Amino acid sequence: MTPMVDTHFEDLLTEIAASFVHVDPDALDAQIIEALRRIVLFLGIDRSTIGRFDDAQGQLMATHSWAIPGVEPLPSPLRIADFPNLTKRLHVGEQIVLERIDALPADHAADLASLRVAGLKSMAAFPLTAKGQTLGWVSFGNVRAERDWPEGLIRRLRLVAGVFANALARRQQDDDLRQALVENERLRHRLESENAVWREEVLHAHEHEAVVGESSALRQVAQQIDQVARTDSTVLLLGETGTGKDLIATTLHSRSLRAQRPLVRVNCAALPAALMESELFGHERGAFTGAVARRPGRFELADGGTIVLDEIGELPLELQAKLLRVLQSGEFERLGSSETRRIDTRVIAATNRDLGAMIEQGRFRADLYYRIGVFPIRVPALRERREDIPLLAAFFIDKLRPKLGRKSLRLTDRAVAQLVEYDWPGNVRELENIIERSMIVSAGPELIIEGLRPGTAAARREPRSQSTQGTVVSKTSTLTLAQVEREHIRAVCAQCGWRINGKGNAAERLGLNPNTLRSKMKKLGIERHRRAGDRVAL
């Protein structure tokens, strides 16, 4: 290049370098192509290309290119295997300058053949290196004729490569930062969602701090919980509305190996069918009208933990198939996305429906039923465990006293008899509501139960010390929780001949450790009134 041309080219390179100083990342591609165009036209060459190495796919990918009219851009992608030596040299930061491609060494035969197929006669290629990392390459080439590449021109083209490399590196940093911000926002939304779930579950858990009851039906449920809680098996809770299936689900999770991970609940009966898929599996932005942001579904929030699908019998058939897939493979897609996601979530399903009848009617998939019914637990109705009703009533009175501002309220024999003889179609939930209403309307110190009629299946009984099911009714005019517990323990101990250990002992029937029972008896002041010569097995 002549001194005058040299000066003009340096002016061009200065302008190009200045144009990349504050270029917007979104405008960078157009700016690079414009710079390639100006260099090609100034030097009178045929084309220039910027590309990157895709080592994972074994390809050379052209990202920016400009060629004079009549000359085709460099094909893309090209196979690295077709340019093995040239690719290796550029990868390690070596420049390649060929006034004629036939000047390649003999061991570059594969590269030479590929250059001929590409139509190149002369070329100069430089690695794009920034911060010690090779991002790709920039090449300048002729397809019409061979040409020389003076040392001064090579030096300036290396400077151009540096300008391109720094601009691309800055954009990569910007892209990484944007991606990090997007990921942080995604994690923030997920954390907020998980926190909301945790708050909901913590509040829910404190609403049910204890499983109250000593009936044989409830002890059977407790035994089943002990058997399955620490496994990952799917559990199906069966029972009428209000029997406490949600409490059993909470207990299963709290005793599982997933107890430190989220417990997420979904009421399938409370969600519109149109929104149920989004609620369960999440959606992408724009997946449907109103989807203004990406949102994870309940299954994602429960990843590593437990999801409770309440009223699963209300799940539409089309979603039953998707749920079956999640149970079988742990895979699903968000609404509006083709990306397959994997989760590890334990499923507890609950229903008050007859799923067998629904299968016969074609309203529930048999294969899904077999999948969720690995370990069924039937939660008994309250009328099936009437001996627990006095304990539950006393428990709810103590629980509701602070809320209703009642410092003391007595449970009378008459009130207990009314509660025990009622059939409770709404089960424990109805019992709690009746107790709360009665506490509100009872003006005096005694709980007045109004409006309850004995169920047709309930046996009419006069209050006595112990029913045929073992229900304890105090002979005194009032019952507190401690009194009910004391009388119940005393009655069971009497039935067992006051045996705390051994076959048919009281501790076993009460579901307690013998030492625990002894401590409880001591605390409640329970002693056997013995006659002379009696022996007590404690």
Side-chain angles (χ1 to χ4, degrees), residues 45 47 49 74 83 86-87 89-90 94-102 104 111-112 114-116 118-126 137-143 145-149 154 157:
I45 58 179
R47 69 184 178 202
T49 303
L74 186 69
F83 302 88
L86 295 181
T87 301
R89 290 169 62 181
L90 289 170
E94 182 182 340
Q95 68 185 30
I96 301 167
V97 179
L98 299 170
E99 295 181 354
R100 41 191 295 272
I101 62 171
D102 290 338
L104 278 171
D111 304 79
L112 177 59
S114 299
L115 290 175
R116 285 174 175 167
L120 276 173
K121 289 184 167 47
S122 180
M123 66 170 289
F126 304 89
W137 84 93
V138 58
S139 64
F140 306 91
N142 261 11
V143 298
E146 298 172 353
R147 66 157 295 160
D148 59 344
W149 304 91
I154 296 301
L157 290 178

mmCIF file of all heavy atoms in Angstrom, residues 45 47 49 74 83 86-87 89-90 94-102 104 111-112 114-116 118-126 137-143 145-149 154 157:
data_model
loop_
_atom_site.group_PDB
_atom_site.id
_atom_site.type_symbol
_atom_site.label_atom_id
_atom_site.label_comp_id
_atom_site.label_asym_id
_atom_site.label_seq_id
_atom_site.Cartn_x
_atom_site.Cartn_y
_atom_site.Cartn_z
ATOM 1 N N ILE A 45 -11.108 -6.103 -2.218
ATOM 2 C CA ILE A 45 -11.173 -7.559 -2.144
ATOM 3 C C ILE A 45 -12.623 -7.998 -2.380
ATOM 4 O O ILE A 45 -13.506 -7.159 -2.598
ATOM 5 C CB ILE A 45 -10.641 -8.082 -0.802
ATOM 6 C CG1 ILE A 45 -11.429 -7.474 0.383
ATOM 7 C CG2 ILE A 45 -9.161 -7.782 -0.652
ATOM 8 C CD1 ILE A 45 -10.982 -7.969 1.742
ATOM 9 N N ARG A 47 -14.683 -10.439 -0.403
ATOM 10 C CA ARG A 47 -15.606 -10.636 0.713
ATOM 11 C C ARG A 47 -14.845 -10.724 2.033
ATOM 12 O O ARG A 47 -13.626 -10.956 2.048
ATOM 13 C CB ARG A 47 -16.452 -11.897 0.530
ATOM 14 C CG ARG A 47 -15.691 -13.206 0.636
ATOM 15 C CD ARG A 47 -16.592 -14.378 0.334
ATOM 16 N NE ARG A 47 -15.872 -15.654 0.389
ATOM 17 C CZ ARG A 47 -16.265 -16.762 -0.213
ATOM 18 N NH1 ARG A 47 -17.383 -16.757 -0.939
ATOM 19 N NH2 ARG A 47 -15.564 -17.871 -0.110
ATOM 20 N N THR A 49 -15.593 -12.178 6.256
ATOM 21 C CA THR A 49 -16.507 -12.976 7.082
ATOM 22 C C THR A 49 -16.001 -13.030 8.518
ATOM 23 O O THR A 49 -14.801 -13.154 8.760
ATOM 24 C CB THR A 49 -16.626 -14.410 6.542
ATOM 25 O OG1 THR A 49 -17.072 -14.364 5.186
ATOM 26 C CG2 THR A 49 -17.603 -15.235 7.380
ATOM 27 N N LEU A 74 -19.583 -16.612 2.268
ATOM 28 C CA LEU A 74 -19.021 -17.892 2.672
ATOM 29 C C LEU A 74 -20.147 -18.798 3.155
ATOM 30 O O LEU A 74 -20.970 -18.388 3.979
ATOM 31 C CB LEU A 74 -18.005 -17.691 3.804
ATOM 32 C CG LEU A 74 -17.226 -18.947 4.234
ATOM 33 C CD1 LEU A 74 -16.258 -19.364 3.126
ATOM 34 C CD2 LEU A 74 -16.471 -18.676 5.538
ATOM 35 N N PHE A 83 -11.654 -28.441 7.571
ATOM 36 C CA PHE A 83 -10.568 -27.470 7.727
ATOM 37 C C PHE A 83 -9.829 -27.769 9.034
ATOM 38 O O PHE A 83 -9.690 -26.894 9.898
ATOM 39 C CB PHE A 83 -11.125 -26.037 7.757
ATOM 40 C CG PHE A 83 -11.916 -25.662 6.541
ATOM 41 C CD1 PHE A 83 -13.267 -25.908 6.465
ATOM 42 C CD2 PHE A 83 -11.284 -25.058 5.453
ATOM 43 C CE1 PHE A 83 -13.997 -25.561 5.346
ATOM 44 C CE2 PHE A 83 -12.015 -24.701 4.322
ATOM 45 C CZ PHE A 83 -13.380 -24.958 4.259
ATOM 46 N N LEU A 86 -6.365 -25.524 9.641
ATOM 47 C CA LEU A 86 -6.624 -24.088 9.717
ATOM 48 C C LEU A 86 -7.412 -23.749 10.987
ATOM 49 O O LEU A 86 -7.131 -22.753 11.660
ATOM 50 C CB LEU A 86 -7.384 -23.622 8.478
ATOM 51 C CG LEU A 86 -6.627 -23.745 7.138
ATOM 52 C CD1 LEU A 86 -7.492 -23.228 5.997
ATOM 53 C CD2 LEU A 86 -5.297 -22.986 7.188
ATOM 54 N N THR A 87 -8.402 -24.597 11.309
ATOM 55 C CA THR A 87 -9.193 -24.368 12.522
ATOM 56 C C THR A 87 -8.306 -24.446 13.762
ATOM 57 O O THR A 87 -8.398 -23.606 14.672
ATOM 58 C CB THR A 87 -10.321 -25.404 12.625
ATOM 59 O OG1 THR A 87 -11.156 -25.305 11.471
ATOM 60 C CG2 THR A 87 -11.147 -25.194 13.874
ATOM 61 N N ARG A 89 -5.092 -23.908 14.012
ATOM 62 C CA ARG A 89 -4.164 -22.762 14.078
ATOM 63 C C ARG A 89 -4.881 -21.505 14.565
ATOM 64 O O ARG A 89 -4.351 -20.744 15.384
ATOM 65 C CB ARG A 89 -3.525 -22.542 12.709
ATOM 66 C CG ARG A 89 -2.543 -23.645 12.317
ATOM 67 C CD ARG A 89 -2.140 -23.550 10.851
ATOM 68 N NE ARG A 89 -1.456 -22.309 10.546
ATOM 69 C CZ ARG A 89 -1.016 -21.964 9.334
ATOM 70 N NH1 ARG A 89 -1.183 -22.821 8.307
ATOM 71 N NH2 ARG A 89 -0.403 -20.822 9.136
ATOM 72 N N LEU A 90 -6.086 -21.267 14.059
ATOM 73 C CA LEU A 90 -6.840 -20.094 14.518
ATOM 74 C C LEU A 90 -7.237 -20.236 15.984
ATOM 75 O O LEU A 90 -7.231 -19.261 16.745
ATOM 76 C CB LEU A 90 -8.091 -19.917 13.655
ATOM 77 C CG LEU A 90 -7.848 -19.438 12.217
ATOM 78 C CD1 LEU A 90 -9.132 -19.535 11.401
ATOM 79 C CD2 LEU A 90 -7.333 -17.988 12.214
ATOM 80 N N GLU A 94 -3.229 -18.209 16.127
ATOM 81 C CA GLU A 94 -2.291 -17.990 15.020
ATOM 82 C C GLU A 94 -3.025 -17.382 13.824
ATOM 83 O O GLU A 94 -4.128 -17.803 13.481
ATOM 84 C CB GLU A 94 -1.654 -19.323 14.620
ATOM 85 C CG GLU A 94 -0.615 -19.201 13.505
ATOM 86 C CD GLU A 94 -0.044 -20.548 13.121
ATOM 87 O OE1 GLU A 94 -0.155 -21.495 13.940
ATOM 88 O OE2 GLU A 94 0.503 -20.663 12.005
ATOM 89 N N GLN A 95 -2.397 -16.378 13.190
ATOM 90 C CA GLN A 95 -2.982 -15.806 11.980
ATOM 91 C C GLN A 95 -2.582 -16.640 10.765
ATOM 92 O O GLN A 95 -1.565 -17.338 10.769
ATOM 93 C CB GLN A 95 -2.510 -14.359 11.783
ATOM 94 C CG GLN A 95 -1.036 -14.249 11.456
ATOM 95 C CD GLN A 95 -0.557 -12.810 11.372
ATOM 96 O OE1 GLN A 95 -1.095 -11.934 12.046
ATOM 97 N NE2 GLN A 95 0.447 -12.536 10.542
ATOM 98 N N ILE A 96 -3.402 -16.587 9.714
ATOM 99 C CA ILE A 96 -3.150 -17.359 8.492
ATOM 100 C C ILE A 96 -3.204 -16.393 7.319
ATOM 101 O O ILE A 96 -4.241 -15.762 7.069
ATOM 102 C CB ILE A 96 -4.202 -18.473 8.308
ATOM 103 C CG1 ILE A 96 -4.176 -19.427 9.512
ATOM 104 C CG2 ILE A 96 -3.971 -19.224 7.014
ATOM 105 C CD1 ILE A 96 -5.359 -20.354 9.581
ATOM 106 N N VAL A 97 -2.076 -16.252 6.604
ATOM 107 C CA VAL A 97 -2.005 -15.344 5.459
ATOM 108 C C VAL A 97 -1.520 -16.147 4.248
ATOM 109 O O VAL A 97 -0.441 -16.739 4.266
ATOM 110 C CB VAL A 97 -1.046 -14.166 5.728
ATOM 111 C CG1 VAL A 97 -0.961 -13.254 4.509
ATOM 112 C CG2 VAL A 97 -1.515 -13.376 6.957
ATOM 113 N N LEU A 98 -2.342 -16.166 3.184
ATOM 114 C CA LEU A 98 -2.030 -16.942 1.976
ATOM 115 C C LEU A 98 -2.249 -16.064 0.752
ATOM 116 O O LEU A 98 -3.386 -15.700 0.437
ATOM 117 C CB LEU A 98 -2.932 -18.185 1.878
ATOM 118 C CG LEU A 98 -2.841 -19.219 3.027
ATOM 119 C CD1 LEU A 98 -3.955 -20.249 2.892
ATOM 120 C CD2 LEU A 98 -1.476 -19.883 3.003
ATOM 121 N N GLU A 99 -1.130 -15.684 0.071
ATOM 122 C CA GLU A 99 -1.287 -14.951 -1.178
ATOM 123 C C GLU A 99 -1.874 -15.853 -2.244
ATOM 124 O O GLU A 99 -2.595 -15.395 -3.130
ATOM 125 C CB GLU A 99 0.058 -14.381 -1.610
ATOM 126 C CG GLU A 99 0.591 -13.325 -0.637
ATOM 127 C CD GLU A 99 1.920 -12.751 -1.092
ATOM 128 O OE1 GLU A 99 2.470 -13.250 -2.098
ATOM 129 O OE2 GLU A 99 2.405 -11.812 -0.438
ATOM 130 N N ARG A 100 -1.580 -17.144 -2.127
ATOM 131 C CA ARG A 100 -2.189 -18.153 -2.984
ATOM 132 C C ARG A 100 -2.385 -19.403 -2.139
ATOM 133 O O ARG A 100 -1.507 -19.809 -1.385
ATOM 134 C CB ARG A 100 -1.325 -18.470 -4.203
ATOM 135 C CG ARG A 100 0.163 -18.556 -3.928
ATOM 136 C CD ARG A 100 0.979 -18.597 -5.214
ATOM 137 N NE ARG A 100 0.726 -19.791 -5.970
ATOM 138 C CZ ARG A 100 1.381 -20.950 -5.813
ATOM 139 N NH1 ARG A 100 2.324 -21.037 -4.880
ATOM 140 N NH2 ARG A 100 1.101 -21.992 -6.552
ATOM 141 N N ILE A 101 -3.548 -20.001 -2.224
ATOM 142 C CA ILE A 101 -3.865 -21.108 -1.316
ATOM 143 C C ILE A 101 -2.999 -22.333 -1.580
ATOM 144 O O ILE A 101 -2.813 -23.177 -0.708
ATOM 145 C CB ILE A 101 -5.361 -21.478 -1.420
ATOM 146 C CG1 ILE A 101 -5.700 -21.951 -2.830
ATOM 147 C CG2 ILE A 101 -6.240 -20.323 -0.994
ATOM 148 C CD1 ILE A 101 -7.092 -22.523 -2.937
ATOM 149 N N ASP A 102 -2.415 -22.405 -2.794
ATOM 150 C CA ASP A 102 -1.541 -23.542 -3.081
ATOM 151 C C ASP A 102 -0.276 -23.514 -2.235
ATOM 152 O O ASP A 102 0.493 -24.481 -2.216
ATOM 153 C CB ASP A 102 -1.171 -23.566 -4.565
ATOM 154 C CG ASP A 102 -2.370 -23.941 -5.431
ATOM 155 O OD1 ASP A 102 -3.307 -24.564 -4.880
ATOM 156 O OD2 ASP A 102 -2.377 -23.611 -6.619
ATOM 157 N N LEU A 104 -0.158 -23.616 0.867
ATOM 158 C CA LEU A 104 -0.360 -24.375 2.104
ATOM 159 C C LEU A 104 0.618 -25.552 2.173
ATOM 160 O O LEU A 104 0.935 -26.158 1.149
ATOM 161 C CB LEU A 104 -1.789 -24.912 2.176
ATOM 162 C CG LEU A 104 -2.871 -23.943 2.665
ATOM 163 C CD1 LEU A 104 -4.255 -24.553 2.470
ATOM 164 C CD2 LEU A 104 -2.650 -23.586 4.131
ATOM 165 N N ASP A 111 -7.476 -29.229 4.081
ATOM 166 C CA ASP A 111 -7.829 -27.812 4.113
ATOM 167 C C ASP A 111 -7.797 -27.225 2.706
ATOM 168 O O ASP A 111 -8.679 -26.442 2.314
ATOM 169 C CB ASP A 111 -6.850 -27.050 5.011
ATOM 170 C CG ASP A 111 -6.798 -27.625 6.417
ATOM 171 O OD1 ASP A 111 -6.131 -28.655 6.612
ATOM 172 O OD2 ASP A 111 -7.428 -27.043 7.311
ATOM 173 N N LEU A 112 -6.755 -27.578 1.920
ATOM 174 C CA LEU A 112 -6.604 -27.053 0.568
ATOM 175 C C LEU A 112 -7.784 -27.457 -0.314
ATOM 176 O O LEU A 112 -8.357 -26.630 -1.042
ATOM 177 C CB LEU A 112 -5.293 -27.554 -0.045
ATOM 178 C CG LEU A 112 -5.014 -27.156 -1.497
ATOM 179 C CD1 LEU A 112 -4.993 -25.638 -1.646
ATOM 180 C CD2 LEU A 112 -3.697 -27.766 -1.976
ATOM 181 N N SER A 114 -10.783 -28.167 0.611
ATOM 182 C CA SER A 114 -11.999 -27.464 1.042
ATOM 183 C C SER A 114 -11.971 -26.005 0.613
ATOM 184 O O SER A 114 -13.007 -25.430 0.251
ATOM 185 C CB SER A 114 -12.151 -27.568 2.559
ATOM 186 O OG SER A 114 -12.263 -28.921 2.965
ATOM 187 N N LEU A 115 -10.792 -25.364 0.648
ATOM 188 C CA LEU A 115 -10.688 -23.979 0.184
ATOM 189 C C LEU A 115 -10.989 -23.876 -1.305
ATOM 190 O O LEU A 115 -11.619 -22.916 -1.772
ATOM 191 C CB LEU A 115 -9.294 -23.431 0.475
ATOM 192 C CG LEU A 115 -8.961 -23.180 1.962
ATOM 193 C CD1 LEU A 115 -7.499 -22.754 2.117
ATOM 194 C CD2 LEU A 115 -9.882 -22.107 2.545
ATOM 195 N N ARG A 116 -10.545 -24.869 -2.054
ATOM 196 C CA ARG A 116 -10.837 -24.865 -3.487
ATOM 197 C C ARG A 116 -12.336 -25.015 -3.746
ATOM 198 O O ARG A 116 -12.891 -24.351 -4.626
ATOM 199 C CB ARG A 116 -10.062 -25.985 -4.168
ATOM 200 C CG ARG A 116 -8.570 -25.682 -4.324
ATOM 201 C CD ARG A 116 -7.822 -26.881 -4.865
ATOM 202 N NE ARG A 116 -6.411 -26.555 -5.117
ATOM 203 C CZ ARG A 116 -5.473 -27.462 -5.359
ATOM 204 N NH1 ARG A 116 -5.797 -28.767 -5.357
ATOM 205 N NH2 ARG A 116 -4.222 -27.088 -5.569
ATOM 206 N N ALA A 118 -14.617 -23.991 -1.801
ATOM 207 C CA ALA A 118 -15.207 -22.703 -1.431
ATOM 208 C C ALA A 118 -14.881 -21.614 -2.439
ATOM 209 O O ALA A 118 -15.422 -20.505 -2.346
ATOM 210 C CB ALA A 118 -14.714 -22.291 -0.040
ATOM 211 N N GLY A 119 -13.984 -21.892 -3.404
ATOM 212 C CA GLY A 119 -13.671 -20.940 -4.457
ATOM 213 C C GLY A 119 -12.627 -19.901 -4.104
ATOM 214 O O GLY A 119 -12.438 -18.928 -4.851
ATOM 215 N N LEU A 120 -11.934 -20.059 -2.976
ATOM 216 C CA LEU A 120 -10.951 -19.055 -2.554
ATOM 217 C C LEU A 120 -9.640 -19.206 -3.332
ATOM 218 O O LEU A 120 -9.175 -20.331 -3.570
ATOM 219 C CB LEU A 120 -10.660 -19.199 -1.062
ATOM 220 C CG LEU A 120 -11.636 -18.488 -0.112
ATOM 221 C CD1 LEU A 120 -11.330 -18.857 1.320
ATOM 222 C CD2 LEU A 120 -11.557 -16.976 -0.295
ATOM 223 N N LYS A 121 -9.045 -18.053 -3.688
ATOM 224 C CA LYS A 121 -7.745 -18.056 -4.332
ATOM 225 C C LYS A 121 -6.686 -17.425 -3.438
ATOM 226 O O LYS A 121 -5.495 -17.727 -3.561
ATOM 227 C CB LYS A 121 -7.820 -17.318 -5.666
ATOM 228 C CG LYS A 121 -8.605 -18.077 -6.747
ATOM 229 C CD LYS A 121 -8.549 -17.339 -8.055
ATOM 230 C CE LYS A 121 -9.026 -18.190 -9.226
ATOM 231 N NZ LYS A 121 -10.281 -18.907 -9.014
ATOM 232 N N SER A 122 -7.124 -16.525 -2.559
ATOM 233 C CA SER A 122 -6.193 -15.831 -1.673
ATOM 234 C C SER A 122 -6.959 -15.420 -0.416
ATOM 235 O O SER A 122 -8.145 -15.076 -0.501
ATOM 236 C CB SER A 122 -5.613 -14.597 -2.368
ATOM 237 O OG SER A 122 -4.709 -13.929 -1.517
ATOM 238 N N MET A 123 -6.270 -15.436 0.743
ATOM 239 C CA MET A 123 -6.986 -15.102 1.980
ATOM 240 C C MET A 123 -6.035 -14.684 3.094
ATOM 241 O O MET A 123 -4.838 -14.993 3.080
ATOM 242 C CB MET A 123 -7.798 -16.306 2.476
ATOM 243 C CG MET A 123 -6.936 -17.500 2.916
ATOM 244 S SD MET A 123 -7.849 -18.809 3.754
ATOM 245 C CE MET A 123 -8.220 -18.013 5.307
ATOM 246 N N ALA A 124 -6.615 -13.969 4.046
ATOM 247 C CA ALA A 124 -5.931 -13.643 5.304
ATOM 248 C C ALA A 124 -6.965 -13.804 6.411
ATOM 249 O O ALA A 124 -8.055 -13.231 6.329
ATOM 250 C CB ALA A 124 -5.381 -12.225 5.279
ATOM 251 N N ALA A 125 -6.652 -14.592 7.428
ATOM 252 C CA ALA A 125 -7.595 -14.865 8.514
ATOM 253 C C ALA A 125 -6.913 -14.604 9.847
ATOM 254 O O ALA A 125 -5.721 -14.927 10.019
ATOM 255 C CB ALA A 125 -8.098 -16.297 8.445
ATOM 256 N N PHE A 126 -7.664 -14.025 10.801
ATOM 257 C CA PHE A 126 -7.102 -13.642 12.097
ATOM 258 C C PHE A 126 -8.042 -14.124 13.217
ATOM 259 O O PHE A 126 -9.269 -14.029 13.091
ATOM 260 C CB PHE A 126 -6.954 -12.119 12.178
ATOM 261 C CG PHE A 126 -6.142 -11.546 11.066
ATOM 262 C CD1 PHE A 126 -6.754 -11.169 9.866
ATOM 263 C CD2 PHE A 126 -4.771 -11.385 11.197
ATOM 264 C CE1 PHE A 126 -6.003 -10.645 8.834
ATOM 265 C CE2 PHE A 126 -4.012 -10.857 10.159
ATOM 266 C CZ PHE A 126 -4.638 -10.497 8.966
ATOM 267 N N TRP A 137 -13.185 -15.971 14.488
ATOM 268 C CA TRP A 137 -12.192 -15.515 13.524
ATOM 269 C C TRP A 137 -12.822 -14.493 12.583
ATOM 270 O O TRP A 137 -14.052 -14.393 12.475
ATOM 271 C CB TRP A 137 -11.659 -16.700 12.722
ATOM 272 C CG TRP A 137 -12.538 -17.065 11.554
ATOM 273 C CD1 TRP A 137 -12.415 -16.624 10.272
ATOM 274 C CD2 TRP A 137 -13.714 -17.889 11.567
ATOM 275 N NE1 TRP A 137 -13.410 -17.132 9.480
ATOM 276 C CE2 TRP A 137 -14.225 -17.916 10.256
ATOM 277 C CE3 TRP A 137 -14.365 -18.621 12.551
ATOM 278 C CZ2 TRP A 137 -15.362 -18.633 9.914
ATOM 279 C CZ3 TRP A 137 -15.493 -19.326 12.218
ATOM 280 C CH2 TRP A 137 -15.987 -19.337 10.905
ATOM 281 N N VAL A 138 -11.948 -13.710 11.925
ATOM 282 C CA VAL A 138 -12.358 -12.832 10.845
ATOM 283 C C VAL A 138 -11.441 -13.114 9.658
ATOM 284 O O VAL A 138 -10.229 -13.266 9.810
ATOM 285 C CB VAL A 138 -12.305 -11.343 11.239
ATOM 286 C CG1 VAL A 138 -10.895 -10.930 11.684
ATOM 287 C CG2 VAL A 138 -12.763 -10.453 10.081
ATOM 288 N N SER A 139 -12.037 -13.247 8.479
ATOM 289 C CA SER A 139 -11.242 -13.558 7.285
ATOM 290 C C SER A 139 -11.535 -12.547 6.175
ATOM 291 O O SER A 139 -12.642 -11.995 6.094
ATOM 292 C CB SER A 139 -11.548 -14.971 6.780
ATOM 293 O OG SER A 139 -12.902 -15.059 6.365
ATOM 294 N N PHE A 140 -10.506 -12.292 5.368
ATOM 295 C CA PHE A 140 -10.620 -11.436 4.194
ATOM 296 C C PHE A 140 -10.124 -12.260 3.016
ATOM 297 O O PHE A 140 -9.033 -12.826 3.076
ATOM 298 C CB PHE A 140 -9.768 -10.178 4.353
ATOM 299 C CG PHE A 140 -10.086 -9.421 5.643
ATOM 300 C CD1 PHE A 140 -9.371 -9.702 6.819
ATOM 301 C CD2 PHE A 140 -11.076 -8.470 5.682
ATOM 302 C CE1 PHE A 140 -9.650 -9.029 7.990
ATOM 303 C CE2 PHE A 140 -11.357 -7.785 6.857
ATOM 304 C CZ PHE A 140 -10.655 -8.065 8.018
ATOM 305 N N GLY A 141 -10.933 -12.367 1.940
ATOM 306 C CA GLY A 141 -10.535 -13.271 0.873
ATOM 307 C C GLY A 141 -10.915 -12.809 -0.524
ATOM 308 O O GLY A 141 -11.788 -11.947 -0.699
ATOM 309 N N ASN A 142 -10.231 -13.398 -1.504
ATOM 310 C CA ASN A 142 -10.500 -13.161 -2.916
ATOM 311 C C ASN A 142 -10.890 -14.470 -3.576
ATOM 312 O O ASN A 142 -10.266 -15.506 -3.337
ATOM 313 C CB ASN A 142 -9.247 -12.610 -3.616
ATOM 314 C CG ASN A 142 -9.314 -11.106 -3.774
ATOM 315 O OD1 ASN A 142 -10.176 -10.459 -3.205
ATOM 316 N ND2 ASN A 142 -8.391 -10.549 -4.555
ATOM 317 N N VAL A 143 -11.912 -14.407 -4.413
ATOM 318 C CA VAL A 143 -12.312 -15.574 -5.201
ATOM 319 C C VAL A 143 -12.038 -15.352 -6.687
ATOM 320 O O VAL A 143 -12.068 -16.301 -7.474
ATOM 321 C CB VAL A 143 -13.804 -15.892 -4.992
ATOM 322 C CG1 VAL A 143 -14.072 -16.235 -3.551
ATOM 323 C CG2 VAL A 143 -14.682 -14.736 -5.441
ATOM 324 N N ALA A 145 -9.181 -13.530 -7.978
ATOM 325 C CA ALA A 145 -7.751 -13.511 -8.327
ATOM 326 C C ALA A 145 -6.923 -13.576 -7.054
ATOM 327 O O ALA A 145 -7.404 -13.287 -5.956
ATOM 328 C CB ALA A 145 -7.412 -12.238 -9.106
ATOM 329 N N GLU A 146 -5.663 -13.964 -7.246
ATOM 330 C CA GLU A 146 -4.734 -13.958 -6.122
ATOM 331 C C GLU A 146 -4.298 -12.517 -5.839
ATOM 332 O O GLU A 146 -4.360 -11.665 -6.730
ATOM 333 C CB GLU A 146 -3.519 -14.833 -6.445
ATOM 334 C CG GLU A 146 -3.880 -16.299 -6.677
ATOM 335 C CD GLU A 146 -2.699 -17.115 -7.181
ATOM 336 O OE1 GLU A 146 -1.644 -16.498 -7.465
ATOM 337 O OE2 GLU A 146 -2.833 -18.347 -7.304
ATOM 338 N N ARG A 147 -3.818 -12.258 -4.593
ATOM 339 C CA ARG A 147 -3.319 -10.912 -4.257
ATOM 340 C C ARG A 147 -2.295 -11.021 -3.135
ATOM 341 O O ARG A 147 -2.217 -12.042 -2.437
ATOM 342 C CB ARG A 147 -4.464 -9.985 -3.860
ATOM 343 C CG ARG A 147 -5.162 -10.364 -2.567
ATOM 344 C CD ARG A 147 -5.873 -9.165 -1.954
ATOM 345 N NE ARG A 147 -4.922 -8.132 -1.550
ATOM 346 C CZ ARG A 147 -5.251 -6.862 -1.359
ATOM 347 N NH1 ARG A 147 -6.494 -6.462 -1.577
ATOM 348 N NH2 ARG A 147 -4.350 -5.974 -0.966
ATOM 349 N N ASP A 148 -1.535 -9.939 -2.991
ATOM 350 C CA ASP A 148 -0.530 -9.935 -1.930
ATOM 351 C C ASP A 148 -1.111 -9.259 -0.681
ATOM 352 O O ASP A 148 -2.072 -8.504 -0.748
ATOM 353 C CB ASP A 148 0.751 -9.236 -2.382
ATOM 354 C CG ASP A 148 0.492 -7.797 -2.782
ATOM 355 O OD1 ASP A 148 -0.701 -7.450 -2.990
ATOM 356 O OD2 ASP A 148 1.447 -7.022 -2.881
ATOM 357 N N TRP A 149 -0.486 -9.559 0.474
ATOM 358 C CA TRP A 149 -0.906 -9.020 1.758
ATOM 359 C C TRP A 149 0.324 -8.421 2.447
ATOM 360 O O TRP A 149 1.013 -9.087 3.215
ATOM 361 C CB TRP A 149 -1.519 -10.111 2.647
ATOM 362 C CG TRP A 149 -2.685 -10.847 2.007
ATOM 363 C CD1 TRP A 149 -2.619 -11.971 1.271
ATOM 364 C CD2 TRP A 149 -4.055 -10.448 2.038
ATOM 365 N NE1 TRP A 149 -3.870 -12.341 0.838
ATOM 366 C CE2 TRP A 149 -4.783 -11.417 1.300
ATOM 367 C CE3 TRP A 149 -4.756 -9.385 2.613
ATOM 368 C CZ2 TRP A 149 -6.152 -11.339 1.117
ATOM 369 C CZ3 TRP A 149 -6.125 -9.325 2.441
ATOM 370 C CH2 TRP A 149 -6.824 -10.287 1.701
ATOM 371 N N ILE A 154 -1.281 -6.327 6.997
ATOM 372 C CA ILE A 154 -1.532 -7.396 7.974
ATOM 373 C C ILE A 154 -1.605 -6.814 9.380
ATOM 374 O O ILE A 154 -2.475 -7.176 10.170
ATOM 375 C CB ILE A 154 -0.433 -8.472 7.891
ATOM 376 C CG1 ILE A 154 -0.456 -9.168 6.531
ATOM 377 C CG2 ILE A 154 -0.599 -9.487 9.014
ATOM 378 C CD1 ILE A 154 -1.761 -9.843 6.219
ATOM 379 N N LEU A 157 -4.909 -5.038 9.779
ATOM 380 C CA LEU A 157 -6.036 -5.964 9.842
ATOM 381 C C LEU A 157 -6.089 -6.684 11.190
ATOM 382 O O LEU A 157 -7.174 -7.035 11.681
ATOM 383 C CB LEU A 157 -5.962 -6.984 8.701
ATOM 384 C CG LEU A 157 -6.220 -6.416 7.294
ATOM 385 C CD1 LEU A 157 -6.073 -7.498 6.240
ATOM 386 C CD2 LEU A 157 -7.614 -5.778 7.211
#
